[in-house]
Amino acid sequence: MQAYTVEQVAEMLHVGRDKVYYLLRTGQLRSIKIGKLRRITDRHLAEFIAQLEDAVH
C-alpha cells in the first residue's frame, strides 16, 4: 500500500493543495494521520475516484 502527501495527491489529481485540503475537510477524500503528518493511501484515492464515477452515472 502506498501513502501519499497532500502535495503528491494534488499533483496526481491536477488540482491545488487547497483543493485537496478542502476534499479532506469535507470528507470527500479520506486520509490517515501518522504523527502530525496527513497521508492519503492508494485505497483512499481509489474510493474517491469511484465516488466521482458513481456521481456521473
Side-chain angles (χ1 to χ4, degrees):
M1 179 180 296
Q2 283 282 345
Y4 303 102
T5 65
V6 169
E7 290 79 9
Q8 288 172 316
V9 170
E11 196 173 302
M12 292 160 78
L13 297 177
H14 302 287
V15 297
R17 258 185 45 189
D18 289 347
K19 179 66 174 182
V20 176
Y21 280 115
Y22 170 79
L23 294 170
L24 291 168
R25 198 169 47 253
T26 58
Q28 297 176 62
L29 178 61
R30 293 182 24 206
S31 66
I32 57 173
K33 208 163 182 192
I34 303 171
K36 292 184 177 184
L37 304 174
R38 177 105 12 226
R39 293 291 182 261
I40 298 122
T41 66
D42 44 8
R43 180 183 292 164
H44 295 143
L45 275 176
E47 289 172 0
F48 173 69
I49 292 167
Q51 287 174 356
L52 293 177
E53 289 174 343
D54 289 346
V56 172
H57 296 288

